[in-house]
Amino acid sequence: MIYTTSLQDITEHMLEGFFTDWENAPTPATHLHLLERSYKVVVAIDEEKNEVVGFITAISDGLLSASISFLEVLPDYRGQGIGKDLLKEMLEELDHLYMIDVVGDETVKQFCEELGFEPSIGMVKRNLAFQSGKED
């Protein structure tokens, strides 16, 4: 497994299979655009298949705070520590900041806590009409 912050050789066809549980999933083209617009990104690449099998993104002011917006691993690669490794890599990228927030599913709670995150009260609002990221 290769972990990289570079999107130089990442193409849309390498991003198939993500957002499987989403009602209005972003296309691979939109996914690539999302990665390109993020403050920081780390992707996990299966060298043998030359495909992205996991990714993590962060948005930030670049001075004090960052929020980890997405952390996803393809279903066939889950349970192998890739998500935790992606989070570790991202924390290294963001180690100059005062605060790093993660809002995620219950599945990421344990390894977030193992990496020093503490539970906090958070609120979210979702607009499912724009879940796919389509710019109409």
Side-chain angles (χ1 to χ4, degrees), residues 5 16 25 32 34-35 59 91 98 123 132-133:
T5 58
E16 297 287 339
L32 182 57
L34 172 138
L35 296 175
I59 54 176
L91 291 176
Y98 163 67
M123 304 297 289
S132 67

Side-chain angles (χ1 to χ4, degrees), residues 36-103:
E36 292 168 341
R37 288 187 173 190
S38 295
Y39 174 72
K40 296 284 184 178
V41 62
V42 181
V43 294
I45 301 172
D46 181 327
E47 289 180 275
E48 293 177 13
K49 294 182 179 181
N50 194 37
E51 77 173 351
V52 175
V53 301
F55 73 97
I56 187 170
T57 62
I59 54 176
S60 176
D61 56 26
L63 297 172
L64 292 176
S65 66
S67 294
I68 294 177
S69 347
F70 292 100
L71 170 57
E72 188 169 349
V73 176
L74 290 177
D76 289 347
Y77 289 83
R78 292 179 188 158
Q80 299 176 32
I82 296 169
K84 188 174 184 178
D85 288 344
L86 285 166
L87 184 55
K88 285 180 186 178
E89 294 285 333
M90 182 58 78
L91 291 176
E92 288 180 23
E93 292 292 316
L94 302 173
D95 70 351
H96 62 285
L97 299 174
Y98 163 67
M99 67 181 176
I100 302 166
D101 298 331
V102 176
V103 175

